[in-house]
Amino acid sequence: MNSQIQMTEAPPGVEGQGFFATRLDSVVGLARKNSIWPLPFATSCCGIEFMATMASHYDLARFGSERMSFTPRQADLLMVMGTIAKKMGPVLRQVYEQMAEPRWVIAVGACASSGGIFDTYSVLQGIDLIIPVDVYVPGCPPRPEQIIDGVMRIQDLIGKESIRRRNSEEYKKLMEEYMIK
Amino acid sequence: MKTNLEYKAEFLNPDMPEIPYSTLNLGPTHPATHGIFQNVLKMDGERIISGEQTIGYIHRAFEKIAERRPFYQITVLTDRLNYCSAPINNIGWHLTVEKLLKIEIPKRVDYMRVMVMELARIADHLICNSILGVDTGALTGFTYVYQMREKIYEIYEEICGARLTTNMGRVGGFERDFTPKVFDLTRTFLIEFPKVWRQFENLLSRNRIFMDRTIGTGPISVERALNYGFTGPNLRAAGIDYDIRSSDPYCSYEEFKFDIPVGTTGDTYDRFVVRNEEIWQSLSLVEQAMQKIETCENGIFHADEDRYYLPPKQEVYRNMEALIYHFKIIMGEIEAPKGEVYKAVEGANGELGFYLISDGGRTPYRLHFRRPCFVYYQAFPEMVQGQMLSDAIVIMSSMNVIAGELDS
Amino acid sequence: MSITNEEIISYIETNLGSVFEVQQDNYGVLTAEVPVHQLYKLVNFLYKDLTYKFNNLVTLCGVHYPDNKGKEIGAVYHIQSMTHRILIRFKVFAPIEKPELPSLTGIYAAANWMERETYDFYGIQFLGHPNLKRILNMDEMTDFPMRKEFPLEDPYRQDKSDFHFGR
């Protein structure tokens, strides 16, 4: 056994000869969090820092995100990087609605989180006005290490998510607030 | 619901009306468009007949914001115009303000600025050419070459603290002197980069597949290019050697020795090769700048203008005049003359111009950015007519359209 | 041999007569205010002229001076000759009730989007433009945002209240 290979921690459970009993949530969460397929919605400067994160120096592929899916139908994580103008709002909303459950959203950069330095008539002051966001990564632009930290927080969220979350009352109320069917 | 046979009968029917052209939405979010702009293409099968463009998906109203900010706060906005080569935008803006305020810049500052601007030009052309490789399917070039961009980022970090949106320099020079580490990093870069770039060129420049895909796609004739207001590598690929660094020199460019690479047909392959050659020229310029800095007196990194450049803190605490200037500069109440100035620098994409109307107040009355991408992207439908869809992607990528510059 | 501004002024005046009014500029650029009906003729003459070859429209932008009654909205044209390295600047003004200027798309293809941008920001109608609609702002917008009376910030935003930001 090669001792340099790093294995991820097994969730707590009961082990025996030929079986391992644990909660379904933990196993599904473990599988999901280490194989996220992100959709890079890169609009401006933060997109270039994302390209740096994807390149070989700060490799994001070692976290399981080797395949960037550019179609929302096959993506898990919507990474919104860069300023979203009001003209782009409906496009972003449509892309979010086309994603299948379970889906998560990460707002990378100050412009996506809250409008950034552009407090103007044409910039949407934060994407959480139109879609629900899970993790915000501040910075202008955030360093690749910060983007990776954001992705790791998403991994925490995914690992601990309950299977029944998407059908719960609270989630349905959240979707109703954003008027997403 | 029609059956298959019924569809076929309809298609083979000679009395059926003409098949109309199909429309394809090369939409705002597309993996191959570098930034968000939309092209609705009218196509006849695989050939493109015409295209209608929609831009403005990232309009952040820079020109309106600039009317409310004092001069030193506008540097932050200029970073985000062409974010791949932010120092060129910053230094261009500082040159505009220095022209308005009629400030004399010492030679050492000029050479430092040249060094930084040429590194930024290398960084921008790196991205453009490697992404052109990615769009034709060669992902390896991108990953190898991007590592060199990280080296340039390290140099920027040592100079000003930030990687991408640098906010570098001040009106009158730089905020701090270049540490010896900057020169060490640059020397290492100048040794390592040529090998990597030679590898990248070997991968693509004489590659049969790449040449077949890019030669003859998206040509533009010289007259049309001039009429469309092309500048920069796109115009040089069409055949005209117009470079602001040689025709209207700024920052002591007249003392440097460099060539201007020129293409013939203006197609994608010419643009690729022109940018490659410009990287070699920029490397030589960086070397020359470093040699010239060594001949200058050490320690000068800003103009000797107390009215516009922050005086050193020891003076502020002792001298009344320095205290007043410090206060005035921070509050933005500098004595700007009334007047208007147009200054252009050679950005990585072409002529980046700043038209500043000042009415004597603390903020500009009107600031207009002449953005090269905005001007030459208009020619895209003409360049794409008659080409196939996959050529459209390659043409767009070789024109190096950056969305931040397109919609200001 | 560098060409002075006076040479150009006298060349234009001998060929076209007095079409513009030269303004003073402290930075050496020939700046002139041109009345609306002379603009197309002047620019066409300069474009076709082979002595100086003004073949490059550098930029075109709008300005708004709310205090100049009768001449509030204007456009500033920068035209350049690449061979002789000369830059000249023309300003054209129009009243705010009827901001109409001739379009230069027949001469320079670059003027197409530049005029659309100026229309989008200031509301200047360019007569003869093939496709004058908004380019950078949303199509549904009815105001012209770069005019001086239009506010910078969106007044309906919730999280950045003017009270807390000291406005």
Side-chain angles (χ1 to χ4, degrees):
Chain A
M1 186 76 152
N2 191 350
S3 60
Q4 284 188 357
I5 298 179
Q6 289 191 335
M7 313 270 274
T8 178
E9 285 270 322
V14 175
E15 197 174 323
Q17 182 144 22
F19 77 94
F20 180 76
T22 177
R23 292 179 47 184
L24 186 59
D25 292 14
S26 328
V27 172
V28 168
L30 182 70
R32 277 181 183 165
K33 79 178 186 187
N34 289 319
S35 65
I36 306 176
W37 281 6
L39 196 175
F41 198 93
T43 51
S44 68
C45 348
C46 289
I48 306 291
E49 282 297 39
F50 174 72
M51 279 163 59
T53 317
M54 276 309 295
S56 42
H57 201 91
Y58 299 101
D59 199 8
L60 193 60
R62 45 191 171 134
F63 292 90
S65 315
E66 173 70 38
R67 177 200 187 267
M68 299 280 131
S69 112
F70 282 96
T71 159
R73 309 261 183 212
Q74 297 174 356
D76 298 321
L77 173 67
L78 176 65
M79 304 178 76
V80 182
M81 297 173 282
T83 323
I84 299 293
K86 290 190 179 149
K87 202 168 174 180
M88 194 65 184
V91 177
L92 176 63
R93 175 77 182 216
Q94 204 176 10
V95 165
Y96 179 76
E97 286 179 355
Q98 285 179 341
M99 284 170 78
E101 294 280 5
R103 56 192 173 187
W104 293 272
V105 177
I106 176 172
V108 176
C111 292
S113 308
S114 71
I117 62 174
F118 303 109
D119 188 8
T120 70
Y121 59 88
S122 69
V123 168
L124 197 63
Q125 304 292 305
I127 60 172
D128 49 8
L129 295 175
I130 47 176
I131 56 180
V133 175
D134 291 302
V135 169
Y136 299 85
V137 180
C140 192
R143 279 190 68 103
E145 286 101 338
Q146 288 174 277
I147 303 181
I148 293 180
D149 186 37
V151 172
M152 284 170 73
R153 298 286 175 98
I154 289 265
Q155 282 187 328
D156 284 339
L157 279 179
I158 296 180
K160 300 198 178 82
E161 184 171 297
S162 142
I163 288 204
R164 301 214 177 90
R165 179 191 169 214
R166 307 277 163 178
N167 294 331
S168 64
E169 276 306 315
E170 211 182 313
Y171 190 74
K172 286 198 178 127
K173 217 157 59 107
L174 179 68
M175 289 290 120
E176 257 173 46
E177 259 177 39
Y178 282 100
M179 293 188 287
I180 298 176
K181 286 180 254 319
Chain B
M1 278 287 289
K2 295 194 196 155
T3 64
N4 239 357
L5 285 173
E6 282 175 301
Y7 271 125
K8 197 168 171 186
E10 203 178 67
F11 182 75
L12 291 171
N13 186 356
D15 296 339
M16 211 186 93
E18 276 290 335
I19 303 174
Y21 296 130
S22 55
T23 10
L24 181 73
N25 180 19
L26 204 59
T29 66
H30 192 277
T33 64
H34 313 294
I36 39 183
F37 28 90
Q38 187 189 32
N39 265 302
V40 178
L41 301 169
K42 198 155 69 153
M43 306 182 57
D44 171 21
E46 186 80 12
R47 300 250 160 216
I48 301 178
I49 309 288
S50 70
E52 194 190 309
Q53 303 161 287
T54 314
I55 63 174
Y57 286 105
I58 195 174
H59 176 58
R60 297 177 278 193
F62 283 149
E63 300 185 359
K64 184 92 184 164
I65 300 179
E67 291 179 4
R68 304 292 179 85
R69 304 271 182 267
F71 293 116
Y72 62 89
Q73 285 186 358
I74 298 178
T75 322
V76 172
L77 294 178
T78 56
D79 267 337
R80 285 144 177 92
L81 277 175
N82 182 348
Y83 33 78
C84 298
S85 57
I88 298 184
N89 307 346
N90 289 340
I91 293 176
W93 167 244
H94 291 141
L95 287 169
T96 315
V97 178
E98 284 156 16
K99 189 170 171 181
L100 177 78
L101 301 174
K102 297 197 172 134
I103 301 180
E104 282 286 322
I105 304 290
K107 284 285 175 194
R108 188 169 186 262
V109 175
D110 275 345
Y111 301 144
M112 286 156 83
R113 280 179 168 171
V114 166
M115 195 172 118
V116 166
M117 282 202 283
E118 294 306 318
L119 280 174
R121 194 185 312 278
I122 294 176
D124 200 318
H125 287 334
L126 273 185
I127 289 197
C128 181
N129 276 352
S130 55
I131 297 287
L132 180 57
V134 168
D135 282 341
T136 50
L139 281 149
T140 322
F142 172 74
T143 38
Y144 272 69
V145 149
Y146 221 84
Q147 190 66 3
M148 286 296 120
R149 205 177 138 94
E150 294 286 333
K151 298 273 182 290
I152 297 184
Y153 281 168
E154 282 176 23
I155 300 177
Y156 287 167
E157 266 184 331
E158 194 58 32
I159 297 176
C160 69
R163 285 159 53 102
L164 184 74
T165 49
T166 48
N167 193 5
M168 195 181 276
R170 299 275 178 269
V171 173
F174 284 90
E175 64 267 32
R176 59 182 77 84
D177 198 5
F178 282 6
T179 56
K181 189 168 173 193
V182 170
F183 296 111
D184 288 336
L185 284 171
T186 320
R187 260 178 236 121
T188 331
F189 179 77
L190 286 174
I191 298 172
E192 289 180 356
F193 182 69
K195 298 183 211 147
V196 175
W197 195 242
R198 183 92 45 214
Q199 273 183 325
F200 181 77
E201 275 192 325
N202 282 344
L203 178 68
L204 287 179
S205 283
R206 303 302 293 173
N207 184 331
R208 172 65 192 270
I209 303 175
F210 186 75
M211 285 171 77
D212 275 343
R213 275 208 73 177
T214 53
I215 293 186
T217 51
I220 187 160
S221 68
V222 173
E223 294 81 26
R224 290 306 288 163
L226 277 175
N227 211 355
Y228 269 114
F230 272 43
T231 43
N234 294 336
L235 182 65
R236 294 196 273 275
I240 298 205
D241 59 346
Y242 176 66
D243 189 331
I244 300 180
R245 294 175 290 173
S246 74
S247 77
D248 187 17
Y250 52 93
C251 266
S252 310
Y253 263 111
E254 61 269 7
E255 299 174 13
F256 289 81
K257 200 166 153 342
F258 61 100
D259 293 323
I260 301 178
V262 164
T264 41
T265 51
D267 61 8
T268 308
Y269 189 67
D270 278 350
R271 288 191 279 268
F272 176 78
V273 173
V274 160
R275 288 200 170 97
N276 271 349
E277 277 308 309
E278 284 191 8
I279 290 192
W280 291 113
Q281 296 301 318
S282 292
L283 278 174
S284 131
L285 277 167
V286 173
E287 240 183 277
Q288 290 176 46
M290 284 200 5
Q291 282 167 358
K292 285 191 200 285
I293 292 179
E294 279 164 25
T295 63
C296 280
E297 198 186 304
N298 233 354
I300 302 179
F301 56 94
H302 64 94
D304 198 7
E305 270 283 355
D306 273 337
R307 290 175 295 157
Y308 306 119
Y309 186 87
L310 280 179
K313 264 305 207 273
Q314 300 95 320
E315 296 295 316
V316 170
Y317 285 120
R318 282 191 218 144
N319 210 338
M320 189 54 164
E321 240 183 41
L323 177 68
I324 297 177
Y325 284 139
H326 178 102
F327 183 75
K328 280 175 102 164
I329 294 172
I330 298 283
M331 298 306 281
E333 310 280 348
I334 56 178
E335 293 121 20
K338 285 196 191 186
E340 23 190 274
V341 161
Y342 176 77
K343 177 89 184 120
V345 294
E346 178 76 16
N349 282 339
E351 176 177 339
L352 176 66
F354 299 88
Y355 175 52
L356 170 62
I357 302 183
S358 158
D359 62 345
R362 54 193 290 273
T363 66
Y365 187 79
R366 169 85 171 106
L367 175 59
H368 171 71
F369 301 106
R370 191 260 183 210
R371 308 168 317 269
C373 284
F374 183 75
V375 176
Y376 66 60
Y377 189 54
Q378 300 176 61
F380 182 71
E382 195 177 302
M383 288 161 92
V384 136
Q385 203 169 32
Q387 312 270 339
M388 306 222 222
L389 180 60
S390 33
D391 295 336
I393 304 292
V394 165
I395 295 170
M396 196 187 304
S397 160
S398 75
M399 282 170 84
N400 200 19
V401 186
I402 304 214
E405 213 179 24
L406 194 58
D407 326 324
S408 73
Chain C
M1 185 203 86
S2 70
I3 302 175
T4 60
N5 290 343
E6 284 75 28
E7 272 181 46
I8 306 175
I9 299 175
S10 56
Y11 183 78
I12 296 178
E13 281 183 347
T14 41
N15 281 318
L16 285 181
S18 135
V19 287
F20 56 41
E21 180 195 317
V22 178
Q23 293 184 336
Q24 198 228 353
D25 182 79
N26 295 329
Y27 301 95
V29 173
L30 168 61
T31 312
E33 186 177 328
V34 182
V36 177
H37 55 280
Q38 305 277 23
L39 177 70
Y40 194 88
K41 193 167 73 166
L42 174 61
V43 177
N44 204 8
F45 169 71
L46 286 173
Y47 181 67
K48 299 230 161 64
D49 174 47
L50 291 172
T51 333
Y52 293 114
K53 297 192 194 139
F54 282 101
N55 60 356
N56 191 9
L57 176 67
V58 176
T59 187
L60 152 60
C61 65
V63 275
H64 181 213
Y65 290 103
D67 296 329
N68 295 351
K69 295 298 168 202
K71 281 181 172 191
E72 286 97 352
I73 293 252
V76 182
Y77 298 78
H78 284 85
I79 302 183
Q80 186 193 38
S81 159
M82 283 177 170
T83 29
H84 298 281
R85 301 164 193 180
I86 322 167
L87 180 75
I88 49 181
R89 184 184 294 147
F90 292 134
K91 299 194 191 188
V92 188
F93 287 102
I96 201 163
E97 299 84 23
K98 194 168 170 297
E100 285 174 357
L101 295 178
S103 165
L104 296 185
T105 40
I107 311 173
Y108 295 108
N112 195 328
W113 275 17
M114 293 186 190
E115 289 175 354
R116 276 178 73 182
E117 186 192 2
T118 318
Y119 163 68
D120 189 3
F121 285 151
Y122 287 94
I124 302 180
Q125 301 280 344
F126 286 94
L127 309 167
H129 193 277
N131 186 16
L132 193 68
K133 47 181 212 220
R134 287 189 180 267
I135 189 169
L136 292 178
N137 286 313
M138 293 170 56
D139 292 325
E140 300 89 37
M141 201 169 188
T142 46
D143 290 315
F144 298 112
M146 281 292 282
R147 293 194 181 175
K148 290 289 174 186
E149 62 265 8
F150 191 84
L152 170 65
E153 297 94 4
D154 178 16
Y156 301 113
R157 70 206 185 300
Q158 312 283 41
D159 51 345
K160 301 173 174 75
S161 63
D162 283 347
F163 171 70
H164 289 112
F165 272 67
R167 281 193 272 264

